[in-house]
Amino acid sequence: MIPPQEASARRREIEDKLKQEEETLFFIRDSLEKSDQLTKNMVSILSSFESRLMKLENSIIPVHKQTENLQRLQENVEKTLSCLDHVISYYHVASDTEKIIKEGPTGRLEEYLGSMAKIQKAVEYFQDNSPDSPELNKVKLLFERGKECLESEFRSLMTRHSKVVSPVLILDLISGEDELEVQEEGPLEHLPEGVLQDVIRISRWLVEYGRNQDFMNVYYQIRSSQLDRSLKGLKEHFRKSSSSSGVPYSPAIPNKRKDTPTKKPTKRPGRDDTLDVETDAYIHCVSAFVKLAQSEYQLLMDVIPEHHQKKTFDSLIQDALDGLMLEGENIVSAARKAIIRHDFSAVLTVFPILRHLKQTKPEFDQVLQGTAASTKNKLPGLITSMETVGAKALEDFADNIKNDPDKEYNMPKDGTVHELTSNAILFLQQLLDFQETAGAMLASQETSSSATSYSSEFSKRLLSTYICKVLGNLQLNLLSKSKVYEDPALSAIFLHNNYNYILKALEKSELIQLVAVTQKTAERSYREHIEQQIQTYQRSWLKVTDYIAEKNLPVFQPGVKLRDKERQMIKERFKGFNDGLEELCKIQKAWAIPDTEQRDKIRQAQKNIVRETYGAFLHRYGSVPFTKNPEKYIKYRVEQVGDMIDRLFDTSA
């Protein structure tokens, strides 16, 4: 059972909580009533606001629509006014621009092109909107006049500012091409930068708006003339300078390519100075054409529309290219005439030119890329002509060596080297400078299939065969010529001198290596020929030494008195020797052996033979009483005989 006190306390606690709950419930009920009241008030306000908004909307929408219509009307009015101003401006274009167009574009191209743009737009407007109006004719005439002025300005700028390139600058361009090629801009400034920009702007305007291509003809005619004059100026520069200091070369930039002609080649004997100058000038003009044409194309690409560039360039270079080709054909023609005259040294002009044309051909082909086939074929045609005439010269030269007539009055009286020999060797030596060129000439005339794509080795063998042919022809001709001499000894000296000259010339140059390509024993063969001629010469002394040779001497006993017949025989032997010695020395003193070494060798060999034979004879009969006047027969001591032989082949002694 719960004690009374605890139950009383428990009840009081519950009553207190109940009282608190009632108070809370009352508070909540009161709050809900207030909230309902606020909600009713808010609904009332919103209903009122909605009513007012509807009234406002009903009032504003008509006003807004009216305002919008007014704005649209205002914009239309403004646009109309703007269009009117724009249209009216076209009617004023002629009067506004006429003065500018009349005065021309010189010095104010920007302003002028701006005026032309206005006129262009006016023309377009009237054509579209009022094709029958007089204003259209006005602006059309003004436009045509403006276009003519721009064309005239284009011509004027090109004419006034296109300058001939100086020879010194061209030579610098040729010699320093590698250094200049790395520059972004072209090595030559054909037009000042400001002028070039004006020319470009006029060109573009004429193409885009002027619908005109005549200016391209103007361009190529002016630039063609400058290119042609530049090359002619270079050639004239060579001619003027050649008389005093040789062919001029610019020292400004050192040469970097061995095939570029920048220094005067070694002078060859027998060549005409004028011919050398013309050759060097032509070679330089070929290189100059390539460089100037490259530069012209760079300039042309800025000025001429892309699809017209190749054709315009083709026209631009024609005069200069035709001039070069004509001059080349003149050289070929002169070579043909020289061949007829048997002036083969003059034909050598073709060789350096042909070599340079072949070296330059890749650059030529690159420059002429895109030009007409007739233009591209000009250089190959000239090369073919030069190869043909060069091959003809080589063939005729070999035939001329073989068939050179044996003219007695043309034979050296002293048996020295014949002019034919020296000329032949000189010609072959000159070919050494052009081995590839000469070999290619010979190969170009071959009809065999292997020649169509001949190698350098093939060409070298052909050249070796050719040189051997010339030397063989020369040897046959010399043998024939030697028969002109009545004295076999002089004939032998003549052949000896010529063979020795040929051998020494071969050994001193690369000719011996070229000959050895197809004829390994040539050197040995010439030495054998030379030795044979020395032996033939030595036989001429037999008629002297035979008089005193032991086999022809009388036999007698020492101390026994000689018979008259024996004394007479000894006298005849002395007299025969003396007369023969004097006669030979007199004759052979006038003969010549130009080679000092050979001359001394032949003298010494002959001296040894004669002195030995005469010494033995003198020793045997010098003290024999075969005459009362020994000084009449014993005219010479052994040393004197040697001295006399030492004076052989010496016209100065």
Side-chain angles (χ1 to χ4, degrees):
M1 231 180 124
I2 299 174
Q5 290 179 345
E6 288 182 8
S8 177
R10 182 79 174 163
R11 188 171 52 253
R12 281 195 301 274
E13 183 180 348
I14 291 170
E15 288 175 353
D16 288 341
K17 285 184 179 181
L18 183 60
K19 186 178 182 180
Q20 287 177 357
E21 291 294 334
E22 288 176 348
E23 289 176 353
T24 301
L25 182 61
F26 177 78
F27 176 77
I28 291 171
R29 187 180 289 113
D30 185 58
S31 296
L32 284 172
E33 290 176 354
K34 289 180 180 179
S35 177
D36 287 342
Q37 186 62 42
L38 287 172
T39 299
K40 289 178 181 178
N41 291 339
M42 180 59 70
V43 169
S44 176
I45 291 169
L46 287 173
S47 297
S48 175
F49 184 69
E50 182 182 7
S51 175
R52 290 181 181 183
L53 276 177
M54 289 180 66
K55 289 179 181 180
L56 182 62
E57 184 178 344
N58 292 333
S59 301
I60 290 299
I61 286 176
V63 173
H64 172 71
K65 288 182 178 179
Q66 188 177 5
T67 303
E68 190 178 47
N69 289 335
L70 288 172
Q71 286 177 337
R72 190 177 292 111
L73 288 171
Q74 184 179 359
E75 287 175 2
N76 288 340
V77 169
E78 288 176 353
K79 286 181 179 178
T80 302
L81 289 173
S82 176
C83 287
L84 285 172
D85 288 341
H86 184 64
V87 170
I88 291 170
S89 70
Y90 288 134
Y91 285 85
H92 294 293
V93 164
S95 58
D96 291 344
T97 59
E98 187 172 11
K99 183 180 179 183
I100 295 174
I101 299 304
K102 186 176 180 180
E103 291 175 352
T106 304
R108 52 173 180 178
L109 182 61
E110 192 71 31
E111 181 185 6
Y112 195 88
L113 291 177
S115 296
M116 289 299 291
K118 292 178 182 178
I119 298 170
Q120 172 80 6
K121 288 178 181 177
V123 170
E124 292 171 356
Y125 171 79
F126 289 121
Q127 282 178 334
D128 292 340
N129 299 283
S130 185
D132 298 327
S133 64
E135 283 77 10
L136 176 58
N137 291 332
K138 281 185 182 179
V139 289
K140 267 190 171 180
L141 288 172
L142 199 57
F143 183 81
E144 290 301 319
R145 184 190 298 177
K147 186 170 74 170
E148 289 172 3
C149 287
L150 283 171
E151 292 170 357
S152 177
E153 179 70 2
F154 183 90
R155 180 187 294 274
S156 176
L157 288 173
M158 290 297 303
T159 303
R160 284 188 287 117
H161 296 282
S162 289
K163 304 295 183 186
V164 172
V165 183
S166 72
V168 172
L169 191 56
I170 293 175
L171 290 168
D172 286 346
L173 178 65
I174 296 171
S175 62
E177 58 184 352
D178 289 347
E179 190 168 309
L180 291 169
E181 280 175 356
V182 300
Q183 298 179 359
E184 291 184 3
E185 297 180 0
L188 296 176
E189 184 185 72
H190 292 292
L191 297 171
E193 184 59 30
V195 173
L196 176 59
Q197 293 308 316
D198 284 353
V199 166
I200 292 171
R201 294 201 63 186
I202 295 173
S203 163
R204 289 175 180 171
W205 189 94
L206 289 172
V207 171
E208 187 173 355
Y209 302 108
R211 306 291 189 271
N212 182 290
Q213 297 181 9
D214 291 345
F215 76 94
M216 299 181 201
N217 296 334
V218 171
Y219 178 87
Y220 91 69
Q221 287 167 2
I222 293 172
R223 293 308 310 167
S224 174
S225 173
Q226 299 305 321
L227 175 61
D228 195 41
R229 289 171 61 195
S230 296
L231 291 175
K232 287 177 178 175
L234 177 63
K235 189 174 180 181
E236 188 62 27
H237 183 59
F238 272 79
R239 286 175 177 168
K240 287 181 179 178
S241 304
S242 62
S243 57
S244 57
S245 58
V247 178
Y249 295 86
S250 171
I253 305 174
N255 178 34
K256 293 193 171 87
R257 286 178 54 182
K258 65 181 180 181
D259 63 335
T260 304
T262 53
K263 66 176 184 177
K264 188 169 178 63
T266 305
K267 185 77 172 82
R268 291 286 193 181
R271 295 289 303 280
D272 188 301
D273 287 339
T274 305
L275 204 61
D276 279 339
V277 172
E278 293 295 328
T279 300
D280 292 334
Y282 186 73
I283 287 173
H284 277 75
C285 284
V286 169
S287 292
F289 171 81
V290 172
K291 293 303 164 190
L292 291 176
Q294 287 173 342
S295 183
E296 286 292 346
Y297 194 75
Q298 293 298 318
L299 177 67
L300 178 140
M301 284 195 299
D302 290 331
V303 179
I304 304 299
E306 184 175 357
H307 55 289
H308 291 286
Q309 287 173 1
K310 294 294 184 184
K311 183 179 179 182
T312 304
F313 180 69
D314 199 340
S315 299
L316 189 156
I317 61 172
Q318 283 304 313
D319 285 350
L321 182 59
D322 286 345
L324 272 183
M325 296 302 105
L326 177 60
E327 193 171 347
E329 290 296 343
N330 287 341
I331 290 169
V332 171
S333 178
R336 289 196 185 102
K337 293 176 182 176
I339 292 172
I340 294 171
R341 300 193 308 269
H342 293 166
D343 181 8
F344 296 101
S345 64
V347 180
L348 287 169
T349 303
V350 171
F351 285 72
I353 292 174
L354 177 57
R355 178 175 64 185
H356 187 66
L357 288 179
K358 285 188 165 185
Q359 289 171 341
T360 314
K361 187 176 181 297
E363 290 181 275
F364 242 99
D365 292 342
Q366 187 177 11
V367 168
L368 301 183
Q369 192 175 11
T371 57
S374 59
T375 302
K376 292 177 184 175
N377 292 335
K378 286 180 179 178
L379 180 65
L382 178 59
I383 287 175
T384 300
S385 294
M386 287 196 168
E387 282 193 327
T388 302
V389 77
K392 173 68 173 170
L394 293 175
E395 178 187 347
D396 282 24
F397 177 78
D399 290 342
N400 187 62
I401 294 297
K402 181 179 181 180
N403 301 318
D404 185 69
D406 305 327
K407 298 177 181 175
E408 292 187 28
Y409 63 84
N410 197 33
M411 294 293 290
K413 291 181 170 36
D414 57 1
T416 190
V417 178
H418 197 280
E419 184 182 11
L420 181 69
T421 302
S422 57
N423 287 344
I425 293 299
L426 175 60
F427 185 84
L428 294 179
Q429 286 174 333
Q430 288 173 320
L431 286 185
L432 287 176
D433 292 338
F434 311 103
Q435 292 183 41
E436 290 185 15
T437 305
M441 283 177 177
L442 295 167
S444 71
Q445 304 304 304
E446 289 289 309
T447 56
S448 62
S449 58
S450 61
T452 56
S453 57
Y454 56 85
S455 64
S456 58
E457 186 62 32
F458 177 74
S459 299
K460 191 173 185 179
R461 289 190 67 82
L462 282 179
L463 184 58
S464 174
T465 302
Y466 172 77
I467 292 172
C468 291
K469 176 183 177 182
V470 171
L471 293 175
N473 288 351
L474 177 60
Q475 188 172 335
L476 289 173
N477 199 315
L478 289 172
L479 276 170
S480 177
K481 289 184 185 303
S482 68
K483 295 173 183 176
V484 171
Y485 296 111
E486 295 180 1
D487 190 332
L490 180 55
S491 178
I493 290 296
F494 170 76
L495 289 175
H496 163 273
N497 284 333
N498 282 272
Y499 291 157
N500 184 64
Y501 179 87
I502 294 168
L503 178 60
K504 289 294 176 67
L506 293 177
E507 290 176 334
K508 287 179 182 177
S509 66
E510 294 178 34
L511 283 172
I512 194 68
Q513 286 91 342
L514 264 178
V515 168
V517 170
T518 54
Q519 200 174 100
K520 305 290 186 186
T521 61
E523 189 173 359
R524 187 180 69 193
S525 177
Y526 273 110
R527 294 193 187 283
E528 290 173 354
H529 288 321
I530 291 167
E531 191 57 39
Q532 286 172 4
Q533 299 311 317
I534 291 175
Q535 292 173 8
T536 300
Y537 161 74
Q538 288 176 340
R539 284 197 288 273
S540 69
W541 281 85
L542 289 176
K543 62 183 180 182
V544 176
T545 55
D546 275 356
Y547 277 106
I548 57 174
E550 187 173 352
K551 62 181 180 178
N552 296 325
L553 297 179
V555 179
F556 59 90
Q557 297 296 325
V560 177
K561 185 177 180 181
L562 294 174
R563 292 175 294 176
D564 291 342
K565 183 179 179 181
E566 292 172 336
R567 284 197 299 272
Q568 185 61 34
M569 184 178 291
I570 294 172
K571 289 178 183 178
E572 288 175 357
R573 294 290 182 270
F574 268 107
K575 186 177 186 306
F577 172 79
N578 293 335
D579 291 346
L581 175 68
E582 290 168 359
E583 181 186 2
L584 281 188
C585 286
K586 181 181 178 182
I587 292 172
Q588 295 184 8
K589 176 185 174 183
W591 296 355
I593 300 179
D595 187 320
T596 306
E597 183 181 345
Q598 285 291 310
R599 184 169 66 235
D600 291 345
K601 174 184 171 183
I602 291 173
R603 278 175 178 168
Q604 188 62 45
Q606 200 59 54
K607 185 166 65 172
N608 290 342
I609 294 170
V610 176
R611 284 178 57 176
E612 182 180 348
T613 307
Y614 182 63
F617 178 74
L618 198 59
H619 177 72
R620 186 168 183 176
Y621 294 103
S623 57
V624 173
F626 66 91
T627 179
K628 295 179 181 178
N629 302 307
E631 67 278 355
K632 179 180 177 182
Y633 297 97
I634 308 175
K635 295 173 65 173
Y636 303 105
R637 300 189 308 277
V638 173
E639 292 76 12
Q640 287 177 304
V641 171
D643 291 342
M644 291 171 71
I645 294 175
D646 276 336
R647 288 193 289 274
L648 298 179
F649 317 117
D650 188 359
T651 54
S652 63

